[in-house]
Amino acid sequence: MLVAVEPSIKRSVTIGVQRPRGVELHEFKAKQLTEAIDFINSLESPTILGYLGGPGQYFLIRLRQECAHPTYRVPFHALNEHMGDAAVGADVQTRTEMLVDCFMQAPEVFYEMGELDFDIFYAREFARARLAVQDHRKRAQLQYMAAERDLELALGIAYQASKARKILSNPGMISGAKADEKALEAQIVKCLGRIVIYDLLRNHPVLPQVKGLGPALGGGIIGEILDIRRFSTPQQLRAYARYTQGREGGIPRRRRGEVANWSDKLHRPVWLWSTDQVTRYDHVWRDVYRSFKLDEFLTHPEIEVVVRQDAQGRDKKVRRFTAGHLNRRAQRRVGSALLEYVHALWWAVARGDDPVAWYQASEWPAFFAQHTSRINDEGGLEQLNALVAARKGETPDDELEDESGDDSGI
């Protein structure tokens, strides 16, 4: 018996059961998930169908672990290809019927859920929590430091013996948050140790190493992607990560009243890697970033001022291509390149290809060699440093807004 699981973002779930007269719907609220599992267990030899990705993964994983029913998931793009794009905007009845029909017509486009899916899902949740705790801890730590500095200035010697110093110099909230971060990181490491793509990105002796992709960022990127088979092209993955404009350095912006079609949860670890980690290590990705940055400074040697309309339709002047803007464009370009590389490598693993043979036959060795040679052998680094130094003296109108804005997506 085929059973289609259709979740909602509110954590409720609709279960469509294949019957002789069609698909019969049964709805369960978020607090009724135990009843939903009991209902599925009451069916005769159920085969569970769902989407690969989306808000229903929590229920599919719980159902698979507690009941061990065969569970198959289909990427949304594959469902649309076989069913003629009818799933976009369809009601729940239609979507459950499409899952059942697609499985009956093309079962090869579905993937069975296995142990690896659990590891990636857990890594995602632990990484989300780890990054959230870090955010709160850093903000609080800055507040503690600011309070301590101001009180010390105001009280002078008396501050050393004050109760305030005992609170601010060693706050329990900070030490507790650090302990939580360490414990969560240990859980992420345990999950990532069983995920092949993470080892290939970090530790392979032949493939280019992606340094700076530690447990939190690595778990965040891999966990938010969940399964590369959700994205048939690198463009789909980039769009999901808010890197729609690829290696051009631009970024889509959320407009008032519009629903963003990207994932800030995936955008964030990619952005943190490209802005905070990529330059800390001697690896090919730093050369790629520097080469992209050199491109930006050569292509845009001066600041431009253009007129843009704000949310209220009013004209305003903004600066383009300041030194900071160009740096952020280069950071976005290297983040986009990382997503393309992850997509290609992970798909090679999913197909069962030998990673080394795939890499050597791909465009990536030439891509890395081009940028590494440009920076290290052709004087690119010296040229970049000179261009950056020359732009440090620019004095743009402080009243004008920088077009680059806040691109963190956080």
Side-chain angles (χ1 to χ4, degrees):
M1 177 180 291
L2 298 180
V3 178
V5 172
E6 178 69 28
S8 79
I9 59 174
K10 297 180 180 179
R11 296 296 190 265
S12 60
V13 65
T14 300
I15 297 173
V17 182
Q18 182 190 32
R19 301 292 189 187
R21 294 184 179 181
V23 175
E24 178 183 278
L25 297 186
H26 300 265
E27 296 183 1
F28 297 88
K29 297 180 180 179
K31 62 183 179 181
Q32 297 176 311
L33 295 186
T34 299
E35 288 88 337
I37 292 175
D38 291 340
F39 170 74
I40 291 176
N41 283 333
S42 71
L43 302 174
E44 182 179 354
S45 302
T47 296
I48 312 301
L49 307 178
Y51 297 111
L52 207 170
Q57 303 311 298
Y58 70 94
F59 182 73
L60 292 176
I61 285 179
R62 178 175 169 184
L63 183 63
R64 182 69 173 79
Q65 288 188 316
E66 292 186 10
C67 309
H69 298 306
T71 303
Y72 296 88
R73 300 178 299 169
V74 61
F76 202 76
H77 66 82
L79 182 69
N80 281 340
E81 288 171 5
H82 283 271
M83 306 305 291
D85 293 333
V88 178
D91 57 33
V92 65
Q93 179 76 46
T94 301
R95 291 197 300 270
T96 53
E97 291 174 351
M98 289 177 63
L99 280 171
V100 171
D101 292 343
C102 188
F103 188 78
M104 295 176 67
Q105 297 174 23
E108 69 277 2
V109 303
F110 284 74
Y111 301 101
E112 186 170 9
M113 180 177 284
E115 292 298 325
L116 176 61
D117 298 297
F118 303 153
D119 286 329
I120 294 178
F121 180 81
Y122 297 148
R124 182 187 78 175
E125 298 306 315
F126 291 137
R128 285 180 178 180
R130 163 71 171 74
L131 290 171
V133 171
Q134 178 179 294
D135 280 346
H136 291 300
R137 190 259 302 168
K138 285 186 173 181
R139 284 196 293 268
Q141 199 163 5
L142 290 173
Q143 291 295 325
Y144 278 114
M145 291 170 63
E148 187 173 24
R149 180 188 63 245
D150 291 345
L151 285 171
E152 190 169 11
L153 287 172
L155 298 176
I157 297 176
Y159 176 72
Q160 298 300 318
S162 70
K163 292 183 179 180
R165 181 180 182 279
K166 295 180 180 178
I167 297 172
L168 297 175
S169 62
N170 187 28
M173 184 270 188
I174 302 301
S175 58
K178 288 182 176 179
D180 286 347
E181 290 176 46
K182 185 176 181 180
L184 287 166
E185 192 162 300
Q187 294 295 320
I188 300 170
V189 169
K190 187 183 299 184
C191 294
L192 291 177
R194 297 187 289 264
I195 299 174
V196 173
I197 183 64
Y198 184 69
D199 187 61
L200 293 176
L201 291 170
R202 289 261 300 171
N203 303 312
H204 199 278
V206 176
L207 302 180
Q209 293 185 349
V210 185
K211 296 184 179 180
L213 203 64
L217 300 186
I221 293 174
I222 292 172
E224 297 301 337
I225 293 173
L226 194 66
D227 191 316
I228 201 61
R229 295 171 298 193
R230 298 170 62 192
F231 308 99
S232 60
T233 67
Q235 291 79 12
Q236 289 179 349
L237 178 59
R238 290 205 319 264
Y240 185 64
R242 200 185 173 196
Y243 284 81
T244 310
Q245 293 165 280
R247 298 181 189 176
E248 299 305 314
I251 194 167
R253 297 185 180 278
R254 181 184 287 108
R255 298 185 183 277
R256 183 175 297 179
E258 294 181 354
V259 177
N261 61 355
W262 59 77
S263 167
D264 281 341
K265 289 185 173 64
L266 176 56
H267 176 78
R268 184 168 186 270
V270 178
W271 179 250
L272 290 175
W273 176 80
S274 65
T275 58
D276 184 61
Q277 295 295 314
V278 72
T279 59
R280 294 191 180 197
Y281 305 94
D282 182 13
H283 59 150
V284 294
W285 289 97
R286 183 171 66 178
D287 294 337
V288 172
Y289 157 74
R290 287 172 169 172
S291 180
F292 284 158
K293 188 171 180 177
L294 178 58
D295 281 342
E296 295 294 337
F297 275 79
L298 289 173
T299 305
H300 307 288
E302 297 179 352
I303 294 175
E304 295 180 5
V305 178
V306 296
V307 177
R308 294 278 188 266
Q309 283 193 336
D310 61 17
Q312 287 74 39
R314 297 171 300 189
D315 289 344
K316 66 175 182 178
K317 293 182 179 181
V318 297
R319 299 173 303 188
R320 302 175 65 197
F321 311 130
T322 63
H325 185 189
L326 298 180
N327 182 56
R328 284 186 285 275
R329 285 172 62 90
Q331 290 167 337
R332 290 193 291 268
R333 290 176 66 182
V334 74
S336 185
L338 175 70
L339 288 166
E340 291 187 16
Y341 178 71
V342 169
H343 182 275
L345 177 58
W346 200 341
W347 258 108
V349 173
R351 290 192 303 265
D353 297 346
D354 175 74
V356 174
W358 162 81
Y359 176 73
Q360 293 172 341
S362 72
E363 65 171 6
W364 289 101
F367 171 81
F368 290 121
Q370 171 193 349
H371 292 291
T372 297
S373 176
R374 182 187 191 189
I375 291 300
N376 297 317
D377 303 328
E378 300 173 14
L381 183 58
E382 292 78 9
Q383 186 181 14
L384 174 62
N385 290 336
L387 289 170
V388 171
R391 294 291 294 268
K392 282 184 178 180
E394 64 190 14
T395 55
D397 187 347
D398 290 337
E399 294 183 359
L400 298 185
E401 179 183 345
D402 187 341
E403 186 186 50
S404 62
D406 176 15
D407 300 325
S408 65
I410 300 171

